[in-house]
Amino acid sequence: METLSNLESFVRSAEAASFSAAARRLALTPAAVSRNVAQLERNLGVRLFQRSTRGLTLTEAGERFLDAVGAGLDSIQGAIADVTTKAGEPAGVLKLSVAPRFGRKQVLPLMPAFLAHYPGVTLDLSFDNRPADLIAGGYDAAIGGGFELTPGVVARELVPAHMVVVAAPSYLKGRKRPATPADLAQLDAIAMRSPETGKVKARKMRNRHGEEMAAQLRPRVFINDPDAICSAALMGMGIATLVVADVVEHLESGALKRVLPDWYEDAGPISLYFTSQKLLPAKTRAFVDFVTAAFRQRGLAKRYSAV
C-alpha cells in the first residue's frame, strides 16, 4: 500500500514538471520529493518520469497513473482537511441511555441548552430502568445507578442515591411517629416486589452517626413503579421508601414529610458512565463536561443528599 506522501510527491511533481516546485508546495526539500517518487517507482515497478536537465516529463505509464490517482488524491486531501478542521467540534448522533424518572426530571431539561450550544449534535435518547451495556449497545454515555464497571467503562458521580422514608401529612396525622427503622412496622407501607424473587427487598438504614439498623416494613400496598408509589404516598396510602432526587420537590413543598429524618439508605451514586477511550469523541466529551458542570453549578449533589 503506497503512502500518501509518495503519491502526493508524484502528483505535485507531475503538475509542476519539477521536483523543486513540488517541494516548495509541499514544504519539503527537493531531495525528499525525489526520494518519494523514486520509492513509488520501485514499488510499482515502472518508471513514471523521464528526467533531464530541462525538467521532468511523464512517461506513458506515468500519464496513465496520474489520470488514475490525481482526482482521488484531491478527494482524500479534502476529506482529511475536513476531518481535521472539525475534529474538535462536537457533531454527530449522541446515543444516550438514562434512567426514566431521573432522566425526565434532571437530564432532559438540560438538553435544550446543550443542543443550542452544540448545533452539530443529534440526540438519540433511550429511557430505561435497566443498566445499559454501553459497548454492546453502542451507547456514547449512560446515566443511572447500579451499573457494573466493566473494562473500558468509567463513571463520574453526579448525585447520591439516598433513599428516605416519606409519607403525606394526612397519613401521619394522629399516628405515633416511629423513632427507629424497627418501628416502621407500626405503619402501613407502600412497597415494590423484586421482579426476580417476588419479595420485598430487605432494607438496611443508617443514621448521621453511622449506626445501621434493618428497616421493618409492613406492606399493605404493592406497586411495581416508583412514580406510582410516590403518587400513592401523596394520596396518604402509607409510607414509602424513595430516592431523595425523586421526592425532593414534595419534601420542599411539604406535600411529603420524612418519617425518620435522621435515617436513610445509601443505594450508591447516580453516575454518568462513558467509555474510557484515549480519543473520546468530541460529542461525548462535550456532553460529559456539560452535564457534570450543570449538576455542580446547581448544587444538586447537596440538594439530593439525605444528610
Coordinates of all heavy atoms in Angstrom, one line a residue, residues 126-197:
S126 N -32.6 7.0 25.1 CA -33.4 5.9 25.5 C -33.6 5.9 27.0 O -32.7 6.1 27.7 CB -32.6 4.6 25.1 OG -32.5 4.4 23.7
F127 N -34.9 5.8 27.4 CA -35.2 5.9 28.8 C -35.5 4.4 29.3 O -36.4 3.8 28.8 CB -36.5 6.7 29.1 CG -36.2 8.2 28.8 CD1 -36.4 8.7 27.6 CD2 -35.9 9.0 29.9 CE1 -36.1 10.1 27.4 CE2 -35.6 10.4 29.7 CZ -35.8 10.9 28.4
D128 N -34.6 3.9 30.2 CA -34.7 2.5 30.6 C -34.2 2.4 32.0 O -33.1 2.9 32.4 CB -33.8 1.7 29.6 CG -34.1 0.2 29.7 OD1 -34.7 -0.3 30.7 OD2 -33.9 -0.5 28.7
N129 N -34.9 1.6 32.8 CA -34.5 1.4 34.2 C -33.4 0.4 34.3 O -32.7 0.4 35.3 CB -35.7 0.8 35.0 CG -36.6 2.0 35.5 OD1 -36.1 3.0 36.0 ND2 -37.9 1.8 35.4
R130 N -33.2 -0.4 33.2 CA -32.1 -1.4 33.3 C -30.8 -0.8 32.9 O -30.7 0.0 31.9 CB -32.4 -2.6 32.3 CG -33.7 -3.3 32.6 CD -34.1 -4.2 31.5 NE -34.3 -3.4 30.3 CZ -34.7 -4.0 29.1 NH1 -34.8 -5.3 29.0 NH2 -34.9 -3.2 28.1
P131 N -29.7 -1.1 33.6 CA -28.4 -0.6 33.3 C -28.0 -1.0 31.8 O -28.1 -2.2 31.5 CB -27.4 -1.2 34.3 CG -28.3 -1.5 35.5 CD -29.7 -1.9 34.9
A132 N -27.6 0.0 31.0 CA -27.3 -0.3 29.6 C -25.9 -0.9 29.5 O -25.0 -0.5 30.3 CB -27.4 1.0 28.8
D133 N -25.7 -1.7 28.5 CA -24.3 -2.2 28.1 C -23.8 -1.2 27.1 O -24.2 -1.2 25.9 CB -24.4 -3.6 27.5 CG -23.0 -4.2 27.3 OD1 -22.1 -3.4 27.0 OD2 -22.9 -5.4 27.4
L134 N -23.0 -0.3 27.6 CA -22.5 0.8 26.7 C -21.9 0.3 25.4 O -22.2 0.8 24.3 CB -21.5 1.7 27.4 CG -22.1 2.9 28.1 CD1 -23.0 2.5 29.3 CD2 -21.0 3.9 28.6
I135 N -21.0 -0.7 25.6 CA -20.2 -1.1 24.4 C -21.0 -1.9 23.5 O -21.1 -1.7 22.3 CB -18.9 -1.9 24.9 CG1 -18.0 -0.9 25.7 CG2 -18.2 -2.5 23.7 CD1 -16.8 -1.6 26.3
A136 N -21.8 -2.9 24.0 CA -22.6 -3.8 23.2 C -23.8 -3.0 22.6 O -24.2 -3.3 21.4 CB -23.1 -5.0 24.0
G137 N -24.3 -2.1 23.3 CA -25.5 -1.3 22.9 C -25.1 -0.1 22.0 O -26.0 0.5 21.4
G138 N -23.8 0.2 21.9 CA -23.4 1.3 21.0 C -23.7 2.6 21.6 O -23.9 3.6 20.9
Y139 N -23.9 2.7 23.0 CA -24.2 4.0 23.6 C -22.9 4.8 23.8 O -21.9 4.3 24.1 CB -24.9 3.8 25.0 CG -26.2 3.2 24.9 CD1 -26.4 1.8 25.1 CD2 -27.3 4.0 24.6 CE1 -27.7 1.2 25.0 CE2 -28.6 3.4 24.5 CZ -28.8 2.1 24.7 OH -30.0 1.5 24.6
D140 N -23.1 6.1 23.6 CA -21.9 7.0 23.9 C -21.8 7.3 25.4 O -20.7 7.5 25.9 CB -22.1 8.4 23.2 CG -22.1 8.2 21.7 OD1 -21.0 7.8 21.2 OD2 -23.1 8.4 21.0
A141 N -23.0 7.3 26.1 CA -22.9 7.6 27.6 C -24.3 7.1 28.1 O -25.2 6.8 27.4 CB -22.8 9.0 27.9
A142 N -24.3 6.9 29.5 CA -25.5 6.5 30.2 C -25.5 7.2 31.5 O -24.5 7.5 32.1 CB -25.5 5.0 30.3
I143 N -26.7 7.4 32.0 CA -26.9 8.0 33.4 C -27.8 7.1 34.2 O -28.9 6.8 33.7 CB -27.4 9.4 33.3 CG1 -26.4 10.3 32.6 CG2 -27.7 10.0 34.7 CD1 -26.8 11.8 32.4
G144 N -27.4 6.8 35.4 CA -28.3 5.9 36.2 C -27.5 5.4 37.4 O -26.4 5.9 37.7
G145 N -28.0 4.4 38.0 CA -27.3 3.8 39.1 C -27.2 2.3 39.0 O -28.0 1.7 38.2
G146 N -26.3 1.6 39.7 CA -26.2 0.2 39.7 C -25.5 -0.4 38.5 O -25.6 -1.6 38.2
F147 N -24.8 0.4 37.7 CA -24.0 -0.1 36.6 C -22.8 -0.9 37.0 O -22.1 -0.5 38.0 CB -23.6 1.1 35.7 CG -24.7 1.6 34.8 CD1 -25.8 2.2 35.3 CD2 -24.6 1.5 33.4 CE1 -26.8 2.8 34.5 CE2 -25.5 2.0 32.6 CZ -26.7 2.7 33.1
E148 N -22.5 -1.9 36.3 CA -21.3 -2.7 36.6 C -20.2 -2.0 35.8 O -20.3 -1.8 34.5 CB -21.4 -4.1 36.2 CG -20.2 -5.0 36.5 CD -20.4 -6.4 36.0 OE1 -21.5 -6.8 35.6 OE2 -19.4 -7.2 36.1
L149 N -19.1 -1.7 36.4 CA -18.0 -1.0 35.7 C -17.1 -2.1 35.0 O -16.1 -2.6 35.5 CB -17.1 -0.2 36.7 CG -17.7 1.1 37.2 CD1 -16.7 1.8 38.1 CD2 -18.0 2.0 36.0
T150 N -17.5 -2.4 33.8 CA -16.8 -3.4 33.0 C -15.6 -2.8 32.4 O -15.5 -1.5 32.4 CB -17.7 -3.9 31.9 OG1 -18.2 -2.8 31.1 CG2 -18.9 -4.7 32.4
P151 N -14.6 -3.6 32.0 CA -13.4 -3.0 31.4 C -13.7 -2.0 30.3 O -14.5 -2.3 29.4 CB -12.6 -4.2 30.9 CG -13.1 -5.3 31.8 CD -14.5 -5.0 32.1
G152 N -13.1 -0.9 30.3 CA -13.3 0.1 29.3 C -14.4 1.1 29.6 O -14.7 2.0 28.8
V153 N -15.0 1.0 30.8 CA -16.1 1.9 31.2 C -15.7 2.7 32.4 O -15.2 2.0 33.4 CB -17.4 1.2 31.4 CG1 -18.5 2.2 31.9 CG2 -17.9 0.5 30.0
V154 N -15.9 4.0 32.5 CA -15.6 4.8 33.7 C -16.9 5.5 34.1 O -17.8 5.6 33.3 CB -14.5 5.8 33.4 CG1 -13.2 5.1 33.1 CG2 -14.9 6.7 32.3
A155 N -16.9 5.9 35.4 CA -18.1 6.5 35.9 C -17.7 7.9 36.5 O -16.6 8.0 37.2 CB -18.7 5.7 37.0
R156 N -18.6 8.9 36.4 CA -18.4 10.1 37.0 C -19.6 10.4 37.9 O -20.7 10.5 37.3 CB -18.2 11.3 36.0 CG -17.9 12.6 36.6 CD -17.4 13.6 35.6 NE -16.1 13.3 35.0 CZ -15.5 14.0 34.1 NH1 -16.1 15.1 33.7 NH2 -14.4 13.6 33.6
E157 N -19.5 10.4 39.2 CA -20.6 10.5 40.1 C -21.3 11.9 40.0 O -20.6 12.9 39.9 CB -20.1 10.3 41.5 CG -21.2 10.3 42.5 CD -20.8 9.9 43.9 OE1 -19.8 9.1 44.0 OE2 -21.4 10.4 44.9
L158 N -22.6 11.9 39.9 CA -23.4 13.1 39.8 C -24.0 13.5 41.1 O -23.8 14.6 41.6 CB -24.4 13.0 38.7 CG -23.9 12.8 37.2 CD1 -25.1 12.5 36.3 CD2 -23.1 14.0 36.8
V159 N -24.9 12.6 41.6 CA -25.6 12.9 42.9 C -25.7 11.6 43.7 O -25.6 10.5 43.1 CB -27.0 13.4 42.6 CG1 -26.9 14.8 41.9 CG2 -27.8 12.5 41.8
P160 N -25.9 11.6 45.0 CA -26.1 10.4 45.7 C -27.5 9.9 45.5 O -28.4 10.6 45.3 CB -25.9 10.9 47.2 CG -26.2 12.3 47.2 CD -25.8 12.8 45.8
A161 N -27.6 8.5 45.6 CA -28.9 7.9 45.6 C -29.3 7.5 47.0 O -29.3 6.3 47.4 CB -28.9 6.7 44.7
H162 N -29.6 8.5 47.8 CA -30.1 8.3 49.2 C -31.6 8.0 49.2 O -32.3 8.8 48.6 CB -29.7 9.5 50.1 CG -28.3 9.6 50.3 ND1 -27.7 10.7 50.9 CD2 -27.2 8.8 50.1 CE1 -26.4 10.6 51.0 NE2 -26.1 9.4 50.6
M163 N -32.0 6.9 49.9 CA -33.4 6.6 50.0 C -33.9 7.0 51.3 O -33.3 6.7 52.4 CB -33.6 5.1 49.6 CG -33.1 4.7 48.3 SD -33.6 3.1 47.8 CE -35.4 3.4 47.4
V164 N -35.1 7.6 51.4 CA -35.7 8.0 52.6 C -37.1 7.6 52.7 O -37.8 7.3 51.7 CB -35.6 9.6 52.8 CG1 -34.2 10.0 52.9 CG2 -36.3 10.3 51.6
V165 N -37.6 7.4 54.0 CA -39.0 7.0 54.2 C -39.8 8.3 54.3 O -39.5 9.2 55.0 CB -39.1 6.2 55.5 CG1 -40.6 5.8 55.7 CG2 -38.2 5.0 55.5
V166 N -40.9 8.3 53.4 CA -41.7 9.5 53.4 C -43.2 9.2 53.5 O -43.6 8.0 53.3 CB -41.5 10.3 52.1 CG1 -40.1 10.8 51.9 CG2 -41.9 9.4 50.9
A167 N -44.0 10.1 53.8 CA -45.5 9.9 53.9 C -46.1 11.3 53.8 O -45.5 12.3 54.1 CB -45.8 9.2 55.2
A168 N -47.4 11.3 53.4 CA -48.2 12.5 53.4 C -48.6 12.9 54.8 O -48.8 12.1 55.7 CB -49.4 12.3 52.5
P169 N -48.6 14.2 55.1 CA -49.1 14.7 56.4 C -50.4 14.1 56.8 O -50.7 13.8 58.0 CB -49.2 16.2 56.2 CG -48.2 16.5 55.1 CD -48.3 15.4 54.2
S170 N -51.3 13.9 55.8 CA -52.7 13.4 56.1 C -52.6 12.0 56.7 O -53.4 11.6 57.5 CB -53.5 13.4 54.9 OG -52.9 12.6 53.8
Y171 N -51.6 11.2 56.2 CA -51.4 9.8 56.7 C -50.8 9.9 58.1 O -51.2 9.1 59.0 CB -50.5 9.0 55.8 CG -50.3 7.6 56.4 CD1 -51.3 6.6 56.3 CD2 -49.1 7.3 57.0 CE1 -51.1 5.3 56.8 CE2 -48.9 6.0 57.6 CZ -49.9 5.1 57.5 OH -49.7 3.8 58.0
L172 N -49.9 10.7 58.3 CA -49.1 10.8 59.6 C -50.0 11.4 60.7 O -49.7 11.2 61.9 CB -47.9 11.6 59.5 CG -46.8 11.0 58.5 CD1 -45.6 12.0 58.4 CD2 -46.3 9.7 59.1
K173 N -51.0 12.2 60.4 CA -51.8 12.9 61.4 C -52.5 11.9 62.3 O -53.1 10.9 61.9 CB -52.9 13.7 60.7 CG -53.7 14.6 61.7 CD -54.7 15.4 60.9 CE -55.5 16.3 61.9 NZ -56.5 17.2 61.1
G174 N -52.2 12.0 63.6 CA -52.8 11.2 64.6 C -52.1 9.9 64.9 O -52.5 9.1 65.7
R175 N -51.0 9.6 64.1 CA -50.3 8.4 64.3 C -49.0 8.7 65.1 O -48.4 9.7 64.9 CB -49.9 7.7 63.0 CG -51.2 7.1 62.3 CD -50.7 6.4 61.0 NE -51.8 5.6 60.5 CZ -52.8 5.9 59.7 NH1 -52.8 7.2 59.3 NH2 -53.7 5.1 59.3
K176 N -48.6 7.7 65.8 CA -47.3 7.8 66.6 C -46.1 7.7 65.6 O -46.1 6.8 64.8 CB -47.2 6.7 67.6 CG -45.9 6.8 68.5 CD -45.9 5.7 69.5 CE -44.6 5.8 70.3 NZ -44.5 4.7 71.3
R177 N -45.2 8.7 65.7 CA -44.1 8.7 64.8 C -43.1 7.7 65.2 O -42.7 7.6 66.4 CB -43.4 10.1 64.8 CG -44.2 11.2 64.2 CD -44.5 11.0 62.7 NE -45.2 12.2 62.2 CZ -44.6 13.2 61.6 NH1 -43.2 13.3 61.6 NH2 -45.3 14.2 61.1
P178 N -42.5 6.9 64.3 CA -41.5 5.9 64.7 C -40.2 6.6 65.0 O -39.9 7.6 64.5 CB -41.4 5.0 63.4 CG -41.8 5.9 62.3 CD -42.9 6.8 62.9
A179 N -39.4 6.0 65.9 CA -38.2 6.6 66.4 C -37.0 5.9 65.7 O -35.9 6.5 65.5 CB -38.0 6.5 67.9
T180 N -37.1 4.7 65.3 CA -36.1 3.9 64.6 C -36.7 3.1 63.4 O -37.9 2.9 63.3 CB -35.4 2.9 65.6 OG1 -36.4 1.8 65.9 CG2 -35.0 3.6 66.9
P181 N -35.8 2.6 62.5 CA -36.3 1.8 61.4 C -37.1 0.6 61.8 O -38.0 0.2 61.1 CB -35.0 1.4 60.7 CG -34.0 2.5 61.0 CD -34.3 2.9 62.4
A182 N -36.8 0.0 63.0 CA -37.6 -1.1 63.5 C -39.0 -0.7 63.8 O -39.9 -1.6 63.7 CB -36.9 -1.7 64.8
D183 N -39.3 0.5 64.1 CA -40.6 1.0 64.4 C -41.5 1.2 63.2 O -42.7 1.4 63.4 CB -40.6 2.3 65.2 CG -39.8 2.1 66.5 OD1 -39.8 1.0 67.1 OD2 -39.2 3.2 67.0
L184 N -40.9 1.1 62.0 CA -41.7 1.3 60.8 C -42.8 0.2 60.6 O -43.8 0.4 59.9 CB -40.8 1.3 59.6 CG -39.8 2.4 59.4 CD1 -38.9 2.2 58.2 CD2 -40.6 3.8 59.3
A185 N -42.6 -0.9 61.3 CA -43.7 -2.0 61.2 C -45.0 -1.5 61.8 O -46.0 -2.2 61.6 CB -43.1 -3.2 62.0
Q186 N -45.0 -0.4 62.5 CA -46.3 0.1 63.1 C -47.1 0.8 62.0 O -48.3 1.1 62.3 CB -46.0 1.0 64.2 CG -45.1 0.4 65.4 CD -44.6 1.5 66.3 OE1 -45.0 2.6 66.2 NE2 -43.8 1.1 67.3
L187 N -46.5 1.1 60.9 CA -47.2 1.9 59.8 C -47.4 1.0 58.6 O -46.7 0.1 58.3 CB -46.4 3.1 59.5 CG -46.1 4.1 60.7 CD1 -45.1 5.2 60.2 CD2 -47.4 4.6 61.2
D188 N -48.5 1.4 57.8 CA -48.7 0.8 56.5 C -47.7 1.2 55.5 O -47.4 2.4 55.4 CB -50.1 1.2 56.0 CG -51.2 0.8 56.9 OD1 -51.2 -0.3 57.5 OD2 -52.1 1.6 57.1
A189 N -47.1 0.3 54.8 CA -46.1 0.6 53.8 C -46.5 0.3 52.4 O -47.3 -0.6 52.1 CB -44.8 -0.3 54.1
I190 N -46.1 1.2 51.5 CA -46.3 1.0 50.1 C -45.0 0.5 49.5 O -43.9 1.1 49.6 CB -46.6 2.3 49.4 CG1 -47.8 3.0 50.1 CG2 -46.9 2.1 47.9 CD1 -47.9 4.5 49.7
A191 N -45.0 -0.7 49.0 CA -43.7 -1.4 48.7 C -43.7 -1.9 47.3 O -44.8 -2.1 46.6 CB -43.5 -2.6 49.7
M192 N -42.5 -2.3 46.8 CA -42.3 -2.8 45.5 C -41.7 -4.2 45.6 O -40.7 -4.4 46.4 CB -41.4 -2.0 44.7 CG -41.1 -2.5 43.3 SD -39.9 -1.5 42.3 CE -40.8 0.0 42.1
R193 N -42.3 -5.2 44.9 CA -41.7 -6.5 44.9 C -40.5 -6.6 44.0 O -40.5 -5.9 43.0 CB -42.7 -7.6 44.5 CG -43.9 -7.7 45.4 CD -44.8 -8.8 44.9 NE -46.1 -8.8 45.6 CZ -46.4 -9.5 46.7 NH1 -45.4 -10.1 47.3 NH2 -47.6 -9.5 47.3
S194 N -39.6 -7.4 44.3 CA -38.5 -7.7 43.4 C -39.0 -8.5 42.2 O -39.7 -9.5 42.4 CB -37.4 -8.5 44.1 OG -36.5 -9.0 43.1
P195 N -38.7 -8.0 41.0 CA -39.2 -8.7 39.8 C -38.5 -10.1 39.7 O -39.1 -11.0 39.0 CB -38.7 -7.8 38.6 CG -37.7 -7.0 39.1 CD -37.9 -6.8 40.6
E196 N -37.4 -10.3 40.3 CA -36.7 -11.6 40.3 C -37.3 -12.6 41.3 O -37.5 -13.8 41.0 CB -35.2 -11.5 40.5 CG -34.5 -10.8 39.3 CD -34.6 -9.3 39.4 OE1 -34.9 -8.7 40.5 OE2 -34.4 -8.6 38.3
T197 N -37.5 -12.1 42.5 CA -37.9 -13.0 43.6 C -39.3 -12.9 44.0 O -39.9 -13.8 44.7 CB -37.0 -12.8 44.8 OG1 -37.3 -11.5 45.4 CG2 -35.5 -12.9 44.5

